[in-house]
Amino acid sequence: HVQLVESGGGSVQTGGSLRLSCAASGRTYSKWCMGWFRQVPGKEREGLATIDSRGITAYADSVKGRFTISQDNTKSTVYLQMNDLKPEDTAMYFCAAGCRAAWVPGSSSYEYSYWDQGTQVTVS
């Protein structure tokens, strides 16, 4: 059984930064395919960034150049560094691990084995 525990959310002013962390415990792998998503009430969940087992990353256009995904394989942890935050970045943020079908930019079709409970990010 795998658990994902996310931390780092909160409130920040426009232009500020936050770093989200997502730590996997249980039956984990040294290199995982992991991703970050966000959702606003009433809207579809939006893919933001993904990192595969080779460390190759991809980003949604809406966050490219502002957000950076990285992975610490020794800790089975994935991070999302968010800079230059905007009010439209306000959402519930989720991490996911274990790609059965990895998210790719522009796609709304993906499948991950594990999801965390989400953390709220509010930009004002």
Side-chain angles (χ1 to χ4, degrees):
H1 180 66
V2 173
Q3 275 192 319
L4 301 179
V5 179
E6 186 178 346
S7 61
S11 297
V12 66
Q13 291 187 336
T14 298
S17 298
L18 286 173
R19 189 174 85 152
L20 303 181
S21 300
C22 178
S25 62
R27 185 179 177 182
T28 61
Y29 300 90
S30 60
K31 294 181 181 180
W32 269 39
C33 171
M34 302 184 80
W36 286 98
F37 298 79
R38 68 186 179 191
Q39 190 167 23
V40 176
K43 293 189 176 181
E44 276 193 19
R45 187 164 52 196
E46 176 188 12
L48 301 177
T50 185
I51 185 166
D52 70 12
S53 59
R54 300 163 295 173
I56 295 175
T57 59
Y59 298 91
D61 287 344
S62 59
V63 304
K64 194 177 296 182
R66 300 188 298 122
F67 291 11
T68 302
I69 187 171
S70 60
Q71 191 174 41
D72 183 338
N73 294 324
T74 63
K75 298 180 181 179
S76 296
T77 300
V78 67
Y79 304 96
L80 186 68
Q81 177 66 44
M82 304 186 293
N83 298 328
D84 190 24
L85 284 161
K86 305 174 181 181
E88 52 264 41
D89 293 318
T90 296
M92 186 71 79
Y93 283 68
F94 300 89
C95 71
C99 311
R100 295 179 180 176
W103 170 81
V104 294
S107 172
S108 60
S109 176
Y110 49 84
E111 187 177 355
Y112 289 75
S113 298
Y114 308 103
W115 292 84
D116 81 309
Q117 78 285 354
T119 190
Q120 179 68 34
V121 171
T122 301
V123 185
S124 59

